[in-house]
Amino acid sequence: MKVLKFGGTSVGSVESVLTLKQIVEHEAQKQPVVIVVSALGGITDKLLATAQLAKHGNEHWKNDFDAIADRHHRMINTIITDDQAREELSQTVDALLEQLRSIYFGVFLIHDLSEKTQNAIVSYGERLSSQIVATLITGAQWFDACQFIKTERENEKHKLDTELTNNLVRKTFVDLPRISLVPGFISRDKNTDEITNLGRGGSDYTAAIIAAALDAEVLEIWTDVDGFMTADPRVIKTAYTINELSYIEAMELCNFGAKVIYPPTIYPFV
């Protein structure tokens, strides 16, 4: 089996999402695949910015929220052509958006944004995008990452409980569907049951955790560059792709600032 992770740029436009569909359905003809998706491109930043507006009592949070909702609705109306599937998906998405609106309104009323509340807010990016992509891809089965990606509080940070998570991943996917769809980034505290996350860029980590636990043949991370490069091509025009790296070398590059992969992504494979 294979794990494929698609970042925000891969679900950032209608064209890129339709390309994602083609890639996944082609790969699924050869072997079972687990797909991990990020929020629509730019949505995580928008969720956080809207939370800050609400925290400071700025009424414009409502406009920003409406823009978030409109973007998801436009995506659904453009890419989901089956009327019944579109209606069912819209109901699911509207329910999630109503939950999100209520959280923002609570932040606005009390002018407070706790870590717990912020974690809940940013989780909606992946929760929304994964439902859309799962409906788009023929035969995809959606799985809730919070049911098997578990964290625990340690030194004021949320840290992955690796043993528990690996066991739950194996149990969840013991009967592997042809196409499994998982929202990246989000997790749940094993003790408090609160929504947590794996950090910005954490969808890469989600995919790596699943791939390692299931002993996948390969993990592919699809993004807008061809791989690890000698420098940031937006800064250094002569940068070129590095053909081959060991896991240790890749980890070092990530830890020293390479942004192509979230640093903890390599840990499950070392």
Side-chain angles (χ1 to χ4, degrees):
M1 57 84 65
K2 179 183 288 190
V3 178
L4 292 81
K5 180 265 176 178
F6 293 90
T9 54
S10 298
V11 287
S13 67
V14 170
E15 293 76 14
S16 60
V17 173
L18 293 176
T19 298
L20 181 160
K21 172 181 167 68
Q22 293 177 346
I23 293 168
V24 170
E25 292 180 355
H26 174 74
E27 290 293 336
Q29 293 177 4
K30 297 178 285 186
Q31 61 187 316
V33 293
V34 178
I35 312 305
V36 177
V37 296
S38 298
L40 302 188
I43 285 294
T44 300
D45 286 337
K46 191 74 170 178
L47 289 167
L48 290 168
T50 305
Q52 288 299 317
L53 289 175
K55 175 185 176 182
H56 292 99
N58 190 325
E59 293 274 1
H60 287 297
W61 74 265
K62 298 175 184 177
N63 297 330
D64 280 20
F65 171 82
D66 288 343
I68 292 169
D70 182 63
R71 182 170 175 197
H72 288 89
H73 284 140
R74 284 188 287 108
M75 179 68 78
I76 292 168
N77 291 333
T78 303
I79 67 175
I80 307 300
T81 55
D82 180 87
D83 290 342
Q84 182 177 348
R86 184 170 61 249
E87 177 63 25
E88 292 175 356
L89 174 60
S90 294
Q91 290 177 5
T92 299
V93 166
D94 285 344
L96 290 170
L97 288 169
E98 186 56 36
Q99 293 171 17
L100 178 59
R101 180 193 292 273
S102 296
I103 296 172
Y104 278 135
F105 187 55
V107 172
F108 174 75
L109 287 177
I110 65 174
H111 295 188
D112 182 69
L113 180 64
S114 67
E115 178 188 19
K116 174 183 175 180
T117 302
Q118 181 166 288
N119 285 338
I121 287 171
V122 295
S123 75
Y124 281 89
E126 276 72 14
R127 294 167 74 181
L128 291 162
S129 67
S130 62
Q131 291 286 353
I132 294 171
V133 177
T135 302
L136 174 67
I137 297 175
T138 304
Q141 183 175 338
W142 184 86
F143 289 85
D144 183 359
C146 291
Q147 297 300 314
F148 50 84
I149 305 293
K150 299 294 184 178
T151 61
E152 58 183 336
R153 192 81 172 179
E154 185 176 297
N155 297 324
E156 301 305 314
K157 293 183 178 180
H158 294 287
K159 178 183 177 183
L160 182 74
D161 185 323
T162 302
E163 182 177 357
L164 175 60
T165 295
N166 285 344
N167 289 335
L168 290 172
V169 169
R170 295 184 187 112
K171 181 179 179 181
T172 300
F173 296 99
V174 65
D175 295 317
L176 196 63
R178 178 57 55 177
I179 303 175
S180 306
L181 200 294
V182 179
F185 173 67
I186 60 178
S187 50
R188 193 180 291 276
D189 187 283
K190 70 173 187 178
N191 297 311
T192 66
D193 216 33
E194 294 174 2
I195 293 288
T196 58
N197 64 67
L198 300 178
R200 291 300 299 268
S203 291
D204 290 354
Y205 195 15
T206 302
I209 291 165
I210 294 172
L214 298 180
D215 194 24
E217 175 188 341
V218 65
L219 165 62
E220 294 179 354
I221 296 180
W222 290 74
T223 184
D224 55 351
V225 295
D226 293 331
F228 279 94
M229 303 185 75
T230 55
D232 186 336
R234 294 168 296 185
V235 179
I236 307 298
K237 300 302 181 184
T238 56
Y240 59 89
T241 304
I242 302 170
N243 292 328
E244 185 175 306
L245 286 171
S246 69
Y247 287 132
I248 297 297
E249 290 170 332
M251 186 184 297
E252 289 178 348
L253 280 172
C254 289
N255 285 328
F256 282 103
K259 296 181 179 179
V260 66
I261 292 180
Y262 180 54
T265 302
I266 311 297
Y267 297 165
F269 301 108
V270 177

